[in-house]
Structures are given as structure tokens and as C-alpha cells.
Amino acid sequence: MTDSVSRADHGIVTAVAPTRADGAMMGAVDPQVIEIVQSSPAWWQSWLPLLGSLVLGGAAVIAVLVNNRTNRDAIAAADDRATRALSAATQQQSDSAQRQADTTRLQLDAAHHQVESAHAVAIMQVGEHWRRDTVVAVVADSLGVSSRICQALRRDEDWPDELIGDLIHELEAGSDRANVLRLTGSDPHYKQWRQLADTLSDALLAALTLQRKKLQDAPDEEIRSAFEHKTQLLAEVRAAERDLIIATREELDIEPN
């Protein structure tokens, strides 16, 4: 049987070895007293778990707060990126729509300009065609009048008053019809036609002077001089006709055959 005594106030525990049946103690050694001393813990050691829990809890709270702040910043940044992306997409869409509208407007303007240009070209072509036809008709008419008058003036016989009146009337009528050249032709071209008309008028006047001298039985020298003057003016009429033809070709860009 084992006897033990424990003293809690001093933390002393005494153990006694069991005895044998003969009254002697078991073992060859003398009884020993074993003393275990337990000192009381410091007061603050009992608060360590609580303090540790508080520290851990505070760290957890701080971590949560930091995490929440981080999350809020991330959400705010994401919202800001989304807002900027939406704004950029909206601006891009607006710019694209504006560019498309500008492109459409430019295309319409270009088409309108092409139509106007084509219309203007058509009008110019019609006007140029009319101008060319008018110039050609007037010049051909003037050359025809000049040819008929020159043929009449080359005859040496006397001219009746009726023929002289017809020649004068034809020359005046041809001059009136040729006035359109002031509008349809250039100034040099009109001046060239004017040169032909004036030379033809002088030739007609020279022919009338020759006839009058013949009727008045003027001296042969005067008659011969008047005849030579008429012949010279008829040659000048032919030269004026050639100059008018050349000027007309230049006016209308007509290549001679």
C-alpha cells in the first residue's frame, strides 16, 4: 500500500515506499522524500490568451478594413475605367457618326458639283456649238457676198443703175448679218471681217467712179487710172478674203485640209 502526503500550500509532495510483509521496506535504499515545487503563474500570464485574441481580432478587423478599402478603391477604379471606356466608346461612336456624316456630305457635294459641272459643260458645249455654227455661217455668207460683188465688178460693160443698187443693198445686208460676229467672235476676228467689208465697199465705189468717168467721156488717162484702181482694190478684196479665212480657222481651231 502506498502512502502519499500532498501539501498544496507549499507545493510539497512526499512519497513513501511500500513495505514488505516482513516489515522491511522494499528496496535496498532508505526512504527518500521527493519535493515538487509549483510556483503560482504571474497575473499577466492569464491575460495573454485574451490579449492574443484581441490582437488577432484587431489584425483581422484591420485586414478587413484594409481589404474593404482596397476593394472600394478597386471598385472605384473599375467604375472609373468603365466610365472612361464608355465615354471613349461614346466619343468614338460620335466621331465615327460625324465622320460618316461628313463623308456623306462630301459625297453629296461632290455629286452635286459633278452634276453642276456636267450641266455647265453641256451648256458650254451647246453654246460653243452655236457660236461655231454662227461664225461659220456668217463668214460663209460674207464670202459669198464678196464673190458675187467681185464677179459683177470684173465685167467691163456698163452697169445699169438697178444692178448697182442691188450690189449696194447686198453689201449692206451682208454687213448687218455680220454684226453678230461682235458677240460670237473675238475682236481680231471681227476686225478681219471688217477689213474685208471695207475693202469690198472701196472696190464697189471704185467701179462706180470708173463707170461715171466712162459716161462723162473722161480722158483715157483718167479712165485707165480708175480701171487700175478698181483692179487693185479687187485684188485687195481677194487678199482680205484669204485673211478672213485664216482668221476664222484660228478662231475656231479648224485645221486646214
Side-chain angles (χ1 to χ4, degrees), residues 70-91:
T70 302
N71 291 337
R72 286 196 301 270
D73 292 341
I75 293 173
D79 291 340
D80 183 63
R81 289 194 299 271
T83 302
R84 289 198 301 269
L86 180 60
S87 177
T90 303
Q91 184 65 34

Side-chain angles (χ1 to χ4, degrees), residues 14 23 29 43 45 107 132 210:
T14 304
V29 295
W43 64 269
Q45 292 180 353
Q107 291 175 349
R132 293 173 66 89
L210 174 61

Side-chain angles (χ1 to χ4, degrees), residues 101-115:
D102 293 340
T103 302
T104 302
R105 184 172 62 256
L106 292 176
Q107 291 175 349
L108 291 177
D109 291 342
H112 182 67
H113 179 69
Q114 290 178 353
V115 171

Side-chain angles (χ1 to χ4, degrees), residues 36-169:
I36 300 175
V37 180
Q38 294 182 350
S39 61
S40 299
W43 64 269
W44 53 270
Q45 292 180 353
S46 61
W47 293 92
L48 287 178
L50 179 59
L51 292 175
S53 299
L54 292 176
V55 171
L56 293 176
V61 170
I62 293 174
V64 171
L65 293 177
V66 172
N67 188 32
N68 290 339
R69 179 60 181 271
T70 302
N71 291 337
R72 286 196 301 270
D73 292 341
I75 293 173
D79 291 340
D80 183 63
R81 289 194 299 271
T83 302
R84 289 198 301 269
L86 180 60
S87 177
T90 303
Q91 184 65 34
Q92 184 178 3
Q93 185 177 5
S94 177
D95 294 342
S96 177
Q98 184 64 36
R99 287 194 299 270
Q100 185 176 2
D102 293 340
T103 302
T104 302
R105 184 172 62 256
L106 292 176
Q107 291 175 349
L108 291 177
D109 291 342
H112 182 67
H113 179 69
Q114 290 178 353
V115 171
E116 288 185 345
S117 298
H119 184 63
V121 169
I123 293 177
M124 291 179 60
Q125 289 177 347
V126 172
E128 179 64 17
H129 183 71
W130 173 84
R131 188 185 78 88
R132 293 173 66 89
D133 290 346
T134 301
V135 171
V136 170
V138 170
V139 171
D141 179 72
S142 298
L143 293 176
V145 171
S146 178
S147 177
R148 289 190 295 271
I149 292 177
C150 288
Q151 288 178 2
L153 296 182
R154 288 191 182 94
R155 295 198 301 263
D156 293 335
E157 65 272 10
D158 295 337
W159 303 297
D161 294 339
E162 182 180 358
L163 176 60
I164 294 175
D166 291 342
L167 293 177
I168 293 175
H169 176 73

Side-chain angles (χ1 to χ4, degrees), residues 204-234:
L204 181 57
L205 181 59
L208 293 176
T209 301
L210 174 61
Q211 182 172 348
R212 186 171 60 252
K213 289 183 178 298
K214 287 181 179 180
L215 293 175
Q216 294 175 353
D217 292 331
D220 293 341
E221 184 66 26
E222 292 183 6
I223 294 175
R224 186 169 53 253
S225 177
F227 178 80
E228 290 176 354
H229 182 59
K230 184 198 72 169
T231 302
Q232 179 183 355
L233 288 176
L234 288 176

